Amino acid sequence: MKLKERVLIAVMTGLVLLTVVLVLDVEMHITNPGHPQPPAHARVQYAFRQRHLQKTSNGSREALLAAAASGQLNAINDDPAQPPPLREISQAHAHQPPDPYTDLQKLVFKVENLSKKNRRRRKHWNPTLGELLGLDLRENATLWDNFHLSISRDELYPAEDPTVGRLLQHVVGMPIAHISQKEGGTQIKLIIEFADGGHALFKPMRFPREQETLKNHFYFTDFERHNAEIAAYHLDKLLGFRRAVPTVGRNVNITRELYALAQGDLLKTFFISPDNNLCFHGKCSYYCDTAHAICGSPDMIEGSFAIFLPGKEAAPRKVWRHPWRRGYHKRRKAQWEVDDEYCELVKEVHPYNEGRRLLDLMDMAVLDFLMGNMDRHHYETFKMFGNYSAPLHLDHGRGFGKAFHDEISILAPIYQCCLIRHSTLTTLLRFQNGPQRLSDAMRVSMGADPLNPILWEPHMRALDRRVNIILQIVRECINKAVDPLHVVINDFH
Amino acid sequence: MKLKERVLIAVMTGLVLLTVVLVLDVEMHITNPGHPQPPAHARVQYAFRQRHLQKTSNGSREALLAAAASGQLNAINDDPAQPPPLREISQAHAHQPPDPYTDLQKLVFKVENLSKKNRRRRKHWNPTLGELLGLDLRENATLWDNFHLSISRDELYPAEDPTVGRLLQHVVGMPIAHISQKEGGTQIKLIIEFADGGHALFKPMRFPREQETLKNHFYFTDFERHNAEIAAYHLDKLLGFRRAVPTVGRNVNITRELYALAQGDLLKTFFISPDNNLCFHGKCSYYCDTAHAICGSPDMIEGSFAIFLPGKEAAPRKVWRHPWRRGYHKRRKAQWEVDDEYCELVKEVHPYNEGRRLLDLMDMAVLDFLMGNMDRHHYETFKMFGNYSAPLHLDHGRGFGKAFHDEISILAPIYQCCLIRHSTLTTLLRFQNGPQRLSDAMRVSMGADPLNPILWEPHMRALDRRVNIILQIVRECINKAVDPLHVVINDFH
């Protein structure tokens, strides 16, 4: 009898699970029946995904990717060739009260309680560069030294420390002493040396805030946006990562602050345009010619100023190829784009087979998805902190390019590995449920920048919409997982 | 007493002339007192001109160039950074009834009457290519042969002949048999071979009609416009030149009509863009890369089809450097831009020292000024016709780029030489006084093109405005000339 009962229970559980899978599958097909057909582009991507779905034997992965695809269709319905008037978008969202994700909230509490039980009593070891270099911060240390020596294994700056805010204010007002072109990039960047010896990386404005990535441009031909660099710093900070370089906006006089200081090859590229604006183009591999010059109006121009990290001699860095790097070619696809089991390979290899690194890639995917950044080919760490250090979030000039399109494939690390850090999920749930949504928090945070408003309003709405999409995908992962505690990981006990 | 009288009359005439010069000079300074200050750009160009004015010893040239400069200021007042709403422009024009230029009309009649008196009785010799090659047009000759063999020393096609119209209609419907890339250009062009063996030069559309030349772009970095090629053919024809290659618009299916026929290097440049459009970029020295690809929507694209002239083996051509060529450099100026006596040099040298050629350059300046084309570096003639043949008007892809700016310097040949062909002036006066203004005539003429409307409406208004500017400048030339018959020349007796 006991055996019979057990078999009966197993069969019934199986049936229930099967029904759930089927219901989810049907749900996917009837999503938004009142909406018009998605454009051809969406259909192709969807078909592409379906083709790969057929290859998988894993039912849970199927439902998960289907959800991702359906999330994408939702997003693309939001993105007609002509962006809809703002009113329509907000009305569309007004119809659906935001999902509070109570299931995910419960799980987050559970993970937290379990972590408390298992908590190791010893303090989490998080050395700073100053400690490792044996350098103490004297009382008369500059803001630059303060920032550099306080960089720790876990973060570029502490949550509550006022140093970064002060340093950014300082950068906005400090006279520029020297400029030179940064070698090796694809688009023009200048190294700025201030009168007090500090350095920042300057990216000039090319286009007005509301200009989107050109629709036929790839992520690797997209122009860089100075405001994306600024916004990325605030976003990374609000997500609690603190791995992006502090960056601030500043108006620059090309004549007095750049032309007057330029030398050599850079100087030769300055000219007066037919519209009588002072322009320059520098030398680089993309868009460094007269036809793509940076021009003032007539000589004032906005730019982003990213604080320099410590020199590579003092604090050498290691460059890592991002496992979910794209093909950087107009036809070639990366392995992860055609292999849904790709994460299994990544999990096997150093440094993703132990420690925090794989979870850090999930965080990076969250950051990149929220800003639509597809240009994450490499990342860096400070060698000094070893393999257990947080990666740096560098180079976000190609974020915030498409406000009406949500590029789900940026979340591939998350939906292929079904992993997310407990603290990141907690933060996302907080922004989902308020009282302060992510767009509100960004508005407050970026409000202090001299170039405020930093982002075109549709990008702000995109942030909130994308928080919801990430939570949808995490939910699907959890629903399909053997154990939800394999999906939501708390590695900061 | 007779001597005394003569001296008195001479002194009084001198005084009257002096007063006229002074009045004109004052007039220049008080032009449009109610208008706002011109933008810095205008002031700089104006100052530039003034600097050169100071160098000249010739009073008449001074007043002439001042008028040119004031014409420019007028035009630039029409061209704020933000183009004014259409209503404002038409209202502004409504205030000033168009000048009928009765003085110029009288002169035109005078030249005509004088010409009649001096008319040589022998027929004007105007051989065709067919005649020179000894080839008769048989009854079953193709439209292509008909067009090629009827090209004459004076014009590419006769005024009343229906061949060109039929050939253009033919080009719109004829299947494409082969395509290849045209070598040597700066921007992508395809050589199209039709099923019947005829050829045309295809320039694809890059931007919508209303996109202007980017304000910081030079004439030599401007993108080419397929519709400028079409409009230039109609404009040249309406001006009575008939020296521009017949050109027509056609919609092309990139997939079926280009991709399916592409080979080799060209084929390799086709790709599907992120927006799922079929694109290609070809190989050339400017803008031939993924970031500047030609894309369909999703695979249809507009283009201009310019009928091929006879092959260079059958009818070889001579390439001439245009004496008023620009510097093609972001800082370098051409000699004519800094030397107001430049025309005196040109007049001395072959082939401008005799025959029609110098007057042909004046015609070219009229054509180019009307469409705002600054990209006239070379021109060609058929060797067979010798030095007395009309130059060809080729390559107008950079015309019609700035509807709100009138580039007076394009008229330098006219205001530096003070010359204009009688027939051209007659035509301009006809368009000035109506009943059919130039914009109306263009509207009718281009109405037959499959891609109609060919031009953005502000370019149509610019045409009428620019007719008036040319007449202003001719008037100043005549007013300052020793003999008006040295300005208006009738070389087609």
PDB file of all heavy atoms in Angstrom, chain B residues 138-163:
ATOM      1  N   ARG B 138      19.406  53.965 -88.532  1.00  0.00           N
ATOM      2  CA  ARG B 138      18.477  53.146 -89.311  1.00  0.00           C
ATOM      3  C   ARG B 138      17.120  53.158 -88.632  1.00  0.00           C
ATOM      4  O   ARG B 138      16.986  53.529 -87.469  1.00  0.00           O
ATOM      5  CB  ARG B 138      19.012  51.715 -89.408  1.00  0.00           C
ATOM      6  CG  ARG B 138      20.068  51.568 -90.510  1.00  0.00           C
ATOM      7  CD  ARG B 138      20.781  50.256 -90.348  1.00  0.00           C
ATOM      8  NE  ARG B 138      21.546  50.248 -89.112  1.00  0.00           N
ATOM      9  CZ  ARG B 138      22.199  49.177 -88.649  1.00  0.00           C
ATOM     10  NH1 ARG B 138      22.138  48.034 -89.298  1.00  0.00           N
ATOM     11  NH2 ARG B 138      22.877  49.251 -87.543  1.00  0.00           N
ATOM     12  N   GLU B 139      16.124  52.686 -89.354  1.00  0.00           N
ATOM     13  CA  GLU B 139      14.763  52.718 -88.822  1.00  0.00           C
ATOM     14  C   GLU B 139      14.616  51.861 -87.568  1.00  0.00           C
ATOM     15  O   GLU B 139      13.877  52.185 -86.660  1.00  0.00           O
ATOM     16  CB  GLU B 139      13.777  52.228 -89.888  1.00  0.00           C
ATOM     17  CG  GLU B 139      13.241  53.385 -90.725  1.00  0.00           C
ATOM     18  CD  GLU B 139      12.211  52.920 -91.722  1.00  0.00           C
ATOM     19  OE1 GLU B 139      11.542  51.909 -91.469  1.00  0.00           O
ATOM     20  OE2 GLU B 139      12.096  53.588 -92.758  1.00  0.00           O
ATOM     21  N   ASN B 140      15.370  50.726 -87.544  1.00  0.00           N
ATOM     22  CA  ASN B 140      15.234  49.847 -86.377  1.00  0.00           C
ATOM     23  C   ASN B 140      16.270  50.146 -85.280  1.00  0.00           C
ATOM     24  O   ASN B 140      16.536  49.300 -84.429  1.00  0.00           O
ATOM     25  CB  ASN B 140      15.309  48.380 -86.817  1.00  0.00           C
ATOM     26  CG  ASN B 140      16.663  48.058 -87.449  1.00  0.00           C
ATOM     27  OD1 ASN B 140      17.465  48.968 -87.689  1.00  0.00           O
ATOM     28  ND2 ASN B 140      16.909  46.782 -87.698  1.00  0.00           N
ATOM     29  N   ALA B 141      16.864  51.319 -85.301  1.00  0.00           N
ATOM     30  CA  ALA B 141      17.845  51.675 -84.269  1.00  0.00           C
ATOM     31  C   ALA B 141      17.164  51.702 -82.890  1.00  0.00           C
ATOM     32  O   ALA B 141      15.989  52.064 -82.777  1.00  0.00           O
ATOM     33  CB  ALA B 141      18.441  53.047 -84.578  1.00  0.00           C
ATOM     34  N   THR B 142      17.924  51.289 -81.872  1.00  0.00           N
ATOM     35  CA  THR B 142      17.353  51.305 -80.522  1.00  0.00           C
ATOM     36  C   THR B 142      17.270  52.740 -80.012  1.00  0.00           C
ATOM     37  O   THR B 142      17.914  53.649 -80.547  1.00  0.00           O
ATOM     38  CB  THR B 142      18.241  50.510 -79.544  1.00  0.00           C
ATOM     39  OG1 THR B 142      19.497  51.190 -79.435  1.00  0.00           O
ATOM     40  CG2 THR B 142      18.458  49.085 -80.007  1.00  0.00           C
ATOM     41  N   LEU B 143      16.510  52.915 -78.943  1.00  0.00           N
ATOM     42  CA  LEU B 143      16.432  54.229 -78.301  1.00  0.00           C
ATOM     43  C   LEU B 143      17.813  54.682 -77.845  1.00  0.00           C
ATOM     44  O   LEU B 143      18.145  55.861 -77.886  1.00  0.00           O
ATOM     45  CB  LEU B 143      15.486  54.164 -77.102  1.00  0.00           C
ATOM     46  CG  LEU B 143      13.987  54.195 -77.398  1.00  0.00           C
ATOM     47  CD1 LEU B 143      13.196  53.843 -76.158  1.00  0.00           C
ATOM     48  CD2 LEU B 143      13.582  55.585 -77.908  1.00  0.00           C
ATOM     49  N   TRP B 144      18.604  53.718 -77.362  1.00  0.00           N
ATOM     50  CA  TRP B 144      19.954  54.034 -76.879  1.00  0.00           C
ATOM     51  C   TRP B 144      20.797  54.603 -78.020  1.00  0.00           C
ATOM     52  O   TRP B 144      21.473  55.626 -77.863  1.00  0.00           O
ATOM     53  CB  TRP B 144      20.643  52.779 -76.308  1.00  0.00           C
ATOM     54  CG  TRP B 144      19.881  52.116 -75.210  1.00  0.00           C
ATOM     55  CD1 TRP B 144      18.983  51.084 -75.331  1.00  0.00           C
ATOM     56  CD2 TRP B 144      19.913  52.445 -73.819  1.00  0.00           C
ATOM     57  NE1 TRP B 144      18.484  50.749 -74.104  1.00  0.00           N
ATOM     58  CE2 TRP B 144      19.031  51.560 -73.148  1.00  0.00           C
ATOM     59  CE3 TRP B 144      20.611  53.399 -73.068  1.00  0.00           C
ATOM     60  CZ2 TRP B 144      18.817  51.610 -71.779  1.00  0.00           C
ATOM     61  CZ3 TRP B 144      20.410  53.435 -71.693  1.00  0.00           C
ATOM     62  CH2 TRP B 144      19.516  52.556 -71.066  1.00  0.00           C
ATOM     63  N   ASP B 145      20.781  53.905 -79.195  1.00  0.00           N
ATOM     64  CA  ASP B 145      21.541  54.394 -80.353  1.00  0.00           C
ATOM     65  C   ASP B 145      21.043  55.775 -80.760  1.00  0.00           C
ATOM     66  O   ASP B 145      21.825  56.678 -81.052  1.00  0.00           O
ATOM     67  CB  ASP B 145      21.380  53.433 -81.544  1.00  0.00           C
ATOM     68  CG  ASP B 145      22.111  52.122 -81.297  1.00  0.00           C
ATOM     69  OD1 ASP B 145      23.006  52.101 -80.431  1.00  0.00           O
ATOM     70  OD2 ASP B 145      21.766  51.122 -81.953  1.00  0.00           O
ATOM     71  N   ASN B 146      19.731  55.892 -80.801  1.00  0.00           N
ATOM     72  CA  ASN B 146      19.114  57.164 -81.152  1.00  0.00           C
ATOM     73  C   ASN B 146      19.639  58.299 -80.293  1.00  0.00           C
ATOM     74  O   ASN B 146      20.015  59.359 -80.796  1.00  0.00           O
ATOM     75  CB  ASN B 146      17.602  57.062 -80.924  1.00  0.00           C
ATOM     76  CG  ASN B 146      16.850  57.110 -82.226  1.00  0.00           C
ATOM     77  OD1 ASN B 146      17.101  57.995 -83.042  1.00  0.00           O
ATOM     78  ND2 ASN B 146      15.953  56.165 -82.430  1.00  0.00           N
ATOM     79  N   PHE B 147      19.652  58.062 -78.972  1.00  0.00           N
ATOM     80  CA  PHE B 147      20.143  59.083 -78.042  1.00  0.00           C
ATOM     81  C   PHE B 147      21.622  59.366 -78.295  1.00  0.00           C
ATOM     82  O   PHE B 147      22.034  60.519 -78.452  1.00  0.00           O
ATOM     83  CB  PHE B 147      19.897  58.643 -76.604  1.00  0.00           C
ATOM     84  CG  PHE B 147      20.617  59.453 -75.560  1.00  0.00           C
ATOM     85  CD1 PHE B 147      20.422  60.826 -75.461  1.00  0.00           C
ATOM     86  CD2 PHE B 147      21.518  58.858 -74.684  1.00  0.00           C
ATOM     87  CE1 PHE B 147      21.099  61.585 -74.511  1.00  0.00           C
ATOM     88  CE2 PHE B 147      22.193  59.604 -73.733  1.00  0.00           C
ATOM     89  CZ  PHE B 147      21.988  60.967 -73.652  1.00  0.00           C
ATOM     90  N   HIS B 148      22.422  58.309 -78.373  1.00  0.00           N
ATOM     91  CA  HIS B 148      23.872  58.492 -78.492  1.00  0.00           C
ATOM     92  C   HIS B 148      24.259  59.215 -79.777  1.00  0.00           C
ATOM     93  O   HIS B 148      25.059  60.143 -79.754  1.00  0.00           O
ATOM     94  CB  HIS B 148      24.576  57.129 -78.439  1.00  0.00           C
ATOM     95  CG  HIS B 148      24.599  56.545 -77.068  1.00  0.00           C
ATOM     96  ND1 HIS B 148      24.968  55.250 -76.787  1.00  0.00           N
ATOM     97  CD2 HIS B 148      24.281  57.090 -75.869  1.00  0.00           C
ATOM     98  CE1 HIS B 148      24.877  55.026 -75.492  1.00  0.00           C
ATOM     99  NE2 HIS B 148      24.456  56.127 -74.911  1.00  0.00           N
ATOM    100  N   LEU B 149      23.673  58.792 -80.887  1.00  0.00           N
ATOM    101  CA  LEU B 149      24.112  59.349 -82.166  1.00  0.00           C
ATOM    102  C   LEU B 149      23.551  60.746 -82.403  1.00  0.00           C
ATOM    103  O   LEU B 149      24.070  61.490 -83.238  1.00  0.00           O
ATOM    104  CB  LEU B 149      23.751  58.393 -83.312  1.00  0.00           C
ATOM    105  CG  LEU B 149      24.446  57.017 -83.205  1.00  0.00           C
ATOM    106  CD1 LEU B 149      24.033  56.111 -84.351  1.00  0.00           C
ATOM    107  CD2 LEU B 149      25.978  57.180 -83.186  1.00  0.00           C
ATOM    108  N   SER B 150      22.525  61.101 -81.640  1.00  0.00           N
ATOM    109  CA  SER B 150      21.953  62.455 -81.802  1.00  0.00           C
ATOM    110  C   SER B 150      22.626  63.501 -80.922  1.00  0.00           C
ATOM    111  O   SER B 150      22.300  64.686 -80.987  1.00  0.00           O
ATOM    112  CB  SER B 150      20.452  62.436 -81.493  1.00  0.00           C
ATOM    113  OG  SER B 150      19.808  61.504 -82.323  1.00  0.00           O
ATOM    114  N   ILE B 151      23.538  63.072 -80.080  1.00  0.00           N
ATOM    115  CA  ILE B 151      24.277  64.048 -79.262  1.00  0.00           C
ATOM    116  C   ILE B 151      25.033  64.984 -80.200  1.00  0.00           C
ATOM    117  O   ILE B 151      25.725  64.518 -81.103  1.00  0.00           O
ATOM    118  CB  ILE B 151      25.276  63.322 -78.324  1.00  0.00           C
ATOM    119  CG1 ILE B 151      24.516  62.527 -77.259  1.00  0.00           C
ATOM    120  CG2 ILE B 151      26.251  64.313 -77.681  1.00  0.00           C
ATOM    121  CD1 ILE B 151      25.394  61.630 -76.396  1.00  0.00           C
ATOM    122  N   SER B 152      24.872  66.291 -79.987  1.00  0.00           N
ATOM    123  CA  SER B 152      25.524  67.229 -80.906  1.00  0.00           C
ATOM    124  C   SER B 152      26.547  68.080 -80.165  1.00  0.00           C
ATOM    125  O   SER B 152      26.643  68.017 -78.933  1.00  0.00           O
ATOM    126  CB  SER B 152      24.475  68.120 -81.571  1.00  0.00           C
ATOM    127  OG  SER B 152      23.934  69.000 -80.604  1.00  0.00           O
ATOM    128  N   ARG B 153      27.263  68.861 -80.938  1.00  0.00           N
ATOM    129  CA  ARG B 153      28.296  69.710 -80.356  1.00  0.00           C
ATOM    130  C   ARG B 153      27.705  70.665 -79.323  1.00  0.00           C
ATOM    131  O   ARG B 153      28.325  70.977 -78.300  1.00  0.00           O
ATOM    132  CB  ARG B 153      28.977  70.503 -81.462  1.00  0.00           C
ATOM    133  CG  ARG B 153      30.364  70.965 -81.112  1.00  0.00           C
ATOM    134  CD  ARG B 153      30.992  71.737 -82.258  1.00  0.00           C
ATOM    135  NE  ARG B 153      30.294  72.995 -82.502  1.00  0.00           N
ATOM    136  CZ  ARG B 153      30.852  74.037 -83.117  1.00  0.00           C
ATOM    137  NH1 ARG B 153      32.086  73.959 -83.586  1.00  0.00           N
ATOM    138  NH2 ARG B 153      30.166  75.143 -83.319  1.00  0.00           N
ATOM    139  N   ASP B 154      26.487  71.115 -79.561  1.00  0.00           N
ATOM    140  CA  ASP B 154      25.871  72.118 -78.692  1.00  0.00           C
ATOM    141  C   ASP B 154      25.083  71.539 -77.521  1.00  0.00           C
ATOM    142  O   ASP B 154      24.892  72.210 -76.503  1.00  0.00           O
ATOM    143  CB  ASP B 154      24.909  73.009 -79.493  1.00  0.00           C
ATOM    144  CG  ASP B 154      25.635  74.010 -80.365  1.00  0.00           C
ATOM    145  OD1 ASP B 154      26.880  74.080 -80.266  1.00  0.00           O
ATOM    146  OD2 ASP B 154      24.971  74.699 -81.145  1.00  0.00           O
ATOM    147  N   GLU B 155      24.581  70.318 -77.715  1.00  0.00           N
ATOM    148  CA  GLU B 155      23.714  69.803 -76.644  1.00  0.00           C
ATOM    149  C   GLU B 155      23.635  68.279 -76.672  1.00  0.00           C
ATOM    150  O   GLU B 155      23.885  67.645 -77.698  1.00  0.00           O
ATOM    151  CB  GLU B 155      22.308  70.424 -76.766  1.00  0.00           C
ATOM    152  CG  GLU B 155      21.704  70.287 -78.146  1.00  0.00           C
ATOM    153  CD  GLU B 155      20.523  71.222 -78.385  1.00  0.00           C
ATOM    154  OE1 GLU B 155      20.399  72.253 -77.689  1.00  0.00           O
ATOM    155  OE2 GLU B 155      19.706  70.900 -79.266  1.00  0.00           O
ATOM    156  N   LEU B 156      23.267  67.708 -75.498  1.00  0.00           N
ATOM    157  CA  LEU B 156      23.189  66.243 -75.398  1.00  0.00           C
ATOM    158  C   LEU B 156      21.955  65.699 -76.100  1.00  0.00           C
ATOM    159  O   LEU B 156      21.914  64.534 -76.468  1.00  0.00           O
ATOM    160  CB  LEU B 156      23.169  65.814 -73.925  1.00  0.00           C
ATOM    161  CG  LEU B 156      24.522  65.695 -73.232  1.00  0.00           C
ATOM    162  CD1 LEU B 156      24.329  65.345 -71.758  1.00  0.00           C
ATOM    163  CD2 LEU B 156      25.366  64.611 -73.902  1.00  0.00           C
ATOM    164  N   TYR B 157      20.921  66.516 -76.209  1.00  0.00           N
ATOM    165  CA  TYR B 157      19.687  66.065 -76.867  1.00  0.00           C
ATOM    166  C   TYR B 157      18.958  67.302 -77.386  1.00  0.00           C
ATOM    167  O   TYR B 157      19.040  68.371 -76.783  1.00  0.00           O
ATOM    168  CB  TYR B 157      18.804  65.269 -75.902  1.00  0.00           C
ATOM    169  CG  TYR B 157      18.559  65.965 -74.583  1.00  0.00           C
ATOM    170  CD1 TYR B 157      17.436  66.786 -74.399  1.00  0.00           C
ATOM    171  CD2 TYR B 157      19.450  65.850 -73.533  1.00  0.00           C
ATOM    172  CE1 TYR B 157      17.226  67.449 -73.204  1.00  0.00           C
ATOM    173  CE2 TYR B 157      19.260  66.512 -72.327  1.00  0.00           C
ATOM    174  CZ  TYR B 157      18.152  67.305 -72.173  1.00  0.00           C
ATOM    175  OH  TYR B 157      17.945  67.982 -71.002  1.00  0.00           O
ATOM    176  N   PRO B 158      18.263  67.176 -78.510  1.00  0.00           N
ATOM    177  CA  PRO B 158      17.567  68.338 -79.054  1.00  0.00           C
ATOM    178  C   PRO B 158      16.370  68.713 -78.193  1.00  0.00           C
ATOM    179  O   PRO B 158      15.809  67.873 -77.473  1.00  0.00           O
ATOM    180  CB  PRO B 158      17.101  67.863 -80.442  1.00  0.00           C
ATOM    181  CG  PRO B 158      17.804  66.557 -80.681  1.00  0.00           C
ATOM    182  CD  PRO B 158      18.099  65.991 -79.353  1.00  0.00           C
ATOM    183  N   ALA B 159      15.971  69.981 -78.289  1.00  0.00           N
ATOM    184  CA  ALA B 159      14.915  70.507 -77.420  1.00  0.00           C
ATOM    185  C   ALA B 159      13.598  69.743 -77.580  1.00  0.00           C
ATOM    186  O   ALA B 159      12.944  69.405 -76.601  1.00  0.00           O
ATOM    187  CB  ALA B 159      14.701  71.992 -77.704  1.00  0.00           C
ATOM    188  N   GLU B 160      13.231  69.457 -78.796  1.00  0.00           N
ATOM    189  CA  GLU B 160      11.881  68.921 -79.031  1.00  0.00           C
ATOM    190  C   GLU B 160      11.848  67.414 -79.245  1.00  0.00           C
ATOM    191  O   GLU B 160      10.780  66.830 -79.344  1.00  0.00           O
ATOM    192  CB  GLU B 160      11.253  69.611 -80.260  1.00  0.00           C
ATOM    193  CG  GLU B 160      11.207  71.131 -80.185  1.00  0.00           C
ATOM    194  CD  GLU B 160      10.416  71.639 -78.976  1.00  0.00           C
ATOM    195  OE1 GLU B 160       9.486  70.938 -78.536  1.00  0.00           O
ATOM    196  OE2 GLU B 160      10.755  72.720 -78.456  1.00  0.00           O
ATOM    197  N   ASP B 161      13.034  66.780 -79.297  1.00  0.00           N
ATOM    198  CA  ASP B 161      13.073  65.357 -79.636  1.00  0.00           C
ATOM    199  C   ASP B 161      12.452  64.499 -78.533  1.00  0.00           C
ATOM    200  O   ASP B 161      12.776  64.655 -77.362  1.00  0.00           O
ATOM    201  CB  ASP B 161      14.523  64.950 -79.874  1.00  0.00           C
ATOM    202  CG  ASP B 161      14.627  63.565 -80.463  1.00  0.00           C
ATOM    203  OD1 ASP B 161      14.076  63.347 -81.556  1.00  0.00           O
ATOM    204  OD2 ASP B 161      15.223  62.688 -79.806  1.00  0.00           O
ATOM    205  N   PRO B 162      11.568  63.535 -78.893  1.00  0.00           N
ATOM    206  CA  PRO B 162      10.931  62.722 -77.864  1.00  0.00           C
ATOM    207  C   PRO B 162      11.787  61.530 -77.403  1.00  0.00           C
ATOM    208  O   PRO B 162      11.401  60.813 -76.476  1.00  0.00           O
ATOM    209  CB  PRO B 162       9.667  62.218 -78.571  1.00  0.00           C
ATOM    210  CG  PRO B 162      10.028  62.189 -80.026  1.00  0.00           C
ATOM    211  CD  PRO B 162      11.085  63.220 -80.247  1.00  0.00           C
ATOM    212  N   THR B 163      12.960  61.345 -78.009  1.00  0.00           N
ATOM    213  CA  THR B 163      13.773  60.151 -77.700  1.00  0.00           C
ATOM    214  C   THR B 163      14.102  60.030 -76.216  1.00  0.00           C
ATOM    215  O   THR B 163      13.924  58.969 -75.612  1.00  0.00           O
ATOM    216  CB  THR B 163      15.093  60.189 -78.500  1.00  0.00           C
ATOM    217  OG1 THR B 163      14.778  60.338 -79.881  1.00  0.00           O
ATOM    218  CG2 THR B 163      15.896  58.923 -78.286  1.00  0.00           C
TER     219      THR B 163
END
